[in-house]
Amino acid sequence: MNRAALLWRVASFAVAAGFIALWQLIANLKLVSPVFLPGPDRAWASLVRGFSSGDLWSKLAGTLEHMAYGWLAASIAGIAIGAIIGSSRTMRTYVAPSLEFLRPLPVSAIIPVAIAMLGLTQAMALFVISFGAIWPIMLATIHGFGAVEPRLYEVARSLQMSRLAVIFKIALPSASPDILAGMRLSLTVALILSVVCEILAGLDGLGHWVLLSARAFRSADLFAGVILLGITGYVTSVAMSLAEHRLLAWQAAQR
Amino acid sequence: MASAAKRLEAVPGMPAPQIAFDGVTLVLGGKTIIENLSLGVRPGEFLCIVGASGCGKTTALRLAAGLYQPTNGKVNFDGQPMGEPRREIAIVFQDYGKALLPWRTAAGNVSLALEAGGMPSAERPARIEELLRTVGLPGHAGKYPSEMSGGMQQRLQIARCLAQEPKTLLMDEPFGALDAMTRQGLQDEVLSLVAASGATVIFVTHDLDEAIYLGDRVIGLLPHPGRIGIELSVNLPRPRDQLSTREHPEFLRLRRQLFDFIKATEQ
């Protein structure tokens, strides 16, 4: 890392530290009642307590599990369906209007439908999370498969490659930058919907923890949960970026 | 089908053509691109096709590749109807940047053709190294196409085509986008590669000098619709040489004839 980049990094940490200090100041001056707003010191203490007693670990694990299963299901289904639709112009023409209708539909609107059909169960959560997370992946895959260089298909034809080989050696790698970008967007969607499902269905996880803490006026625990959710979102997104960087090393060479 | 093949074989004193166009007409989108084109390419022959833009020379090449099917008439390969593209016929596209896989290294791009040919993975590395050495790219196996110059990328595409072990090599203005020095170097390399492999070549270019320098025969197409306007046999000694061949009186005579033809078509 060069000097300038290091300086920016230090500055960004300073800003974050400034916000925490401000938060502490507001809490100390009791501008907001401590019942609703704990200081960072109390939130931190609650985090430490939660982890040492093991409660928060299991909640975190629950949320990560919901998120991961929903996201993986969405990825597999999204890439498969997107590939089928994207690799055929006819399919794109016929299916695209239906997708345009379904896509802007708020996922929260289908939660009652899912609850009615599946009950307050893990299956309902899995369905809702993957339904919400599938869109960015599927639409990115359709776009990626539709944008494969036609010349490469001619190369494949002259090499008499099988249909399967064309998909795995030409279309999928060509669409991979789009697909990975879609998967990164979906990661955030999956986290949001995991929390929503935990709150609505009382499933074990950070969402449920936050809800119970709020109801019991345990503001420090509430904030600990919120902070942990923020960290979860940040860490998973950084991990995804690293994976993207590795998988798309050939693109870095292009610039 | 069989009768057409018989008829083409029956020309006395000529070996059976490897690629034979028999009264080929191609209509695309209501427009006649090529009309009643008959043409035979002997095994091992180096045929160059020239013509003004819009004369259908690239289209003729795509018909020879099987990428287009004729509206009327037949394209035969080794006496059999052409049908779909086949591995025995390799195509070097002009736009090498689009024809290479940007996510595969040089070695990976050559490997694509070997994989398609069903070569076991254990045998591939040695063959890839050999092919890259043949086209003058030793030591670049780990580079991505985007890290290579235009000339190197076109060499890489040629290496991938050679990996197909083609009977016929179709080249569509392969050096059109390269600078003059690189182009001359590659012309000589293609000539020696072709001489070594014995492959039949159809080479499309808009560079008349290039056509005469490379070819055994040069065909000039007339535009709208594309049809044969001139056919020249190039009786220049091989191996050809960038200086002495281009100064040869026969070269200059053919050049004059071809330039006059192109000029006439443009009026």
Side-chain angles (χ1 to χ4, degrees):
Chain A
M1 203 184 295
N2 60 32
R3 262 181 80 87
L6 196 71
L7 223 62
W8 281 108
R9 184 61 57 92
V10 169
S12 69
F13 274 114
V15 170
F19 277 127
I20 294 173
L22 187 68
W23 173 15
Q24 185 72 63
L25 190 71
I26 292 170
N28 286 352
L29 294 176
K30 297 201 164 53
L31 293 176
V32 180
S33 160
V35 178
F36 301 117
L37 183 76
D41 51 346
R42 280 174 58 208
W44 178 253
S46 168
L47 258 181
V48 173
R49 193 169 356 100
F51 274 122
S52 51
S53 72
D55 279 1
L56 269 180
W57 279 121
S58 73
K59 302 290 169 193
L60 178 63
T63 298
L64 284 176
E65 197 176 313
H66 292 140
M67 186 181 170
Y69 283 150
W71 182 68
L72 285 176
S75 298
I76 294 167
I79 293 171
I81 300 171
I84 292 168
I85 299 172
S87 52
S88 143
R89 182 177 310 210
T90 330
M91 280 289 268
R92 284 207 295 277
T93 318
Y94 282 118
V95 181
S98 312
L99 292 183
E100 287 309 311
F101 171 76
L102 283 171
R103 185 176 57 107
L105 198 69
V107 183
S108 36
I110 73 130
I111 293 180
V113 181
I115 292 177
M117 290 195 305
L118 299 165
L120 296 170
T121 58
Q122 297 283 359
M124 183 280 295
L126 182 66
F127 175 78
V128 169
I129 296 164
S130 47
F131 183 85
I134 201 172
W135 296 104
I137 301 174
M138 185 164 74
L139 293 172
T141 308
I142 292 173
H143 177 261
F145 268 69
V148 176
E149 173 57 49
R151 187 68 84 221
L152 293 179
Y153 284 135
E154 291 180 353
V155 170
R157 277 176 72 191
S158 87
L159 287 172
Q160 292 180 295
M161 286 166 65
S162 68
R163 226 185 125 78
L164 217 59
V166 172
I167 290 174
F168 283 102
K169 290 178 182 173
I170 307 265
L172 211 50
S174 170
S176 61
D178 284 316
I179 295 174
L180 288 168
M183 285 172 76
R184 183 149 41 93
L185 285 176
S186 288
L187 209 52
T188 317
V189 176
L191 177 60
I192 293 168
L193 289 174
S194 298
V195 172
V196 170
C197 286
E198 284 158 13
I199 288 176
L200 284 178
L203 303 174
D204 212 20
L206 286 172
H208 194 222
W209 163 280
V210 166
L211 180 75
L212 291 187
S213 304
R215 283 195 181 149
F217 296 101
R218 286 186 279 113
S219 62
D221 288 350
L222 167 64
F223 271 71
V226 170
I227 290 168
L228 207 49
L229 280 170
I231 293 171
T232 305
Y234 180 74
V235 169
T236 49
S237 144
V238 167
M240 185 68 205
S241 294
L242 287 176
E244 243 180 299
H245 200 75
R246 269 199 80 119
L247 289 167
L248 302 179
W250 56 273
Q251 271 204 323
Q254 224 158 9
R255 280 177 210 122
Chain B
M1 249 179 272
S3 68
K6 278 265 155 52
R7 186 145 46 86
L8 288 161
E9 273 166 23
V11 184
M14 291 271 277
Q18 187 166 85
I19 295 179
F21 282 60
D22 186 12
V24 170
T25 297
L26 182 73
V27 180
L28 281 181
K31 217 176 146 215
T32 307
I33 313 287
I34 283 187
E35 191 164 51
N36 199 19
L37 182 70
S38 291
L39 172 69
V41 191
R42 297 187 306 275
E45 187 181 11
F46 201 121
L47 174 76
C48 293
I49 301 179
V50 297
S53 48
C55 70
K57 48 189 193 294
T58 293
T59 310
L61 201 75
R62 293 173 68 85
L63 280 161
L67 289 171
Y68 286 152
Q69 300 302 326
T71 314
N72 267 312
K74 288 191 188 74
V75 179
N76 281 356
F77 182 80
D78 273 345
Q80 302 293 317
M82 182 64 206
E84 274 295 290
R86 46 180 90 195
R87 271 198 298 277
E88 296 163 289
I89 303 176
I91 315 164
V92 179
F93 293 101
Q94 175 180 14
D95 42 7
Y96 41 78
K98 290 179 177 173
L100 295 168
L101 309 182
W103 55 87
R104 285 197 182 207
T105 59
N109 269 283
V110 175
S111 175
L112 184 77
L114 300 178
E115 291 160 29
M119 181 183 274
S121 58
E123 295 170 24
R124 279 181 225 145
R127 182 78 179 121
I128 290 168
E129 207 193 311
E130 187 189 336
L131 285 161
L132 287 176
R133 197 159 2 91
T134 311
V135 297
L137 291 175
H140 296 287
K143 280 192 183 165
Y144 288 104
S146 54
E147 296 171 299
M148 306 172 111
S149 69
M152 287 162 78
Q153 289 183 50
Q154 194 57 293
R155 283 161 196 266
L156 179 55
Q157 200 193 170
I158 292 170
R160 186 177 68 198
C161 286
L162 293 177
Q164 289 176 243
E165 294 182 2
K167 281 186 175 176
T168 296
L169 198 54
L170 304 174
M171 308 184 88
D172 184 12
E173 300 197 32
F175 312 141
L178 302 176
D179 64 86
M181 285 308 287
T182 310
R183 187 187 303 197
Q184 292 201 348
L186 276 171
Q187 284 168 353
D188 291 335
E189 281 177 42
V190 162
L191 282 180
S192 65
L193 287 176
V194 167
S197 72
T200 312
V201 182
I202 303 183
F203 191 103
V204 164
T205 176
H206 58 256
D207 180 342
L208 307 184
D209 290 40
E210 181 173 72
I212 301 167
Y213 180 74
L214 294 174
D216 294 317
R217 189 155 54 117
V218 179
I219 282 176
L221 295 184
L222 289 167
H224 312 299
R227 66 221 123 98
I228 294 179
I230 193 173
E231 190 173 338
L232 300 171
S233 284
V234 183
N235 294 309
L236 288 164
R238 290 193 186 265
R240 307 239 163 117
D241 177 86
Q242 290 290 352
L243 291 176
S244 63
T245 301
R246 288 175 191 270
E247 287 165 353
H248 200 288
E250 176 68 1
F251 184 92
L252 298 173
R253 190 185 66 78
L254 290 167
R255 185 173 185 270
R256 183 57 189 250
Q257 210 177 339
L258 210 50
F259 267 88
D260 286 344
F261 163 75
I262 292 292
K263 229 184 190 166
T265 65
E266 279 172 349
Q267 278 160 7

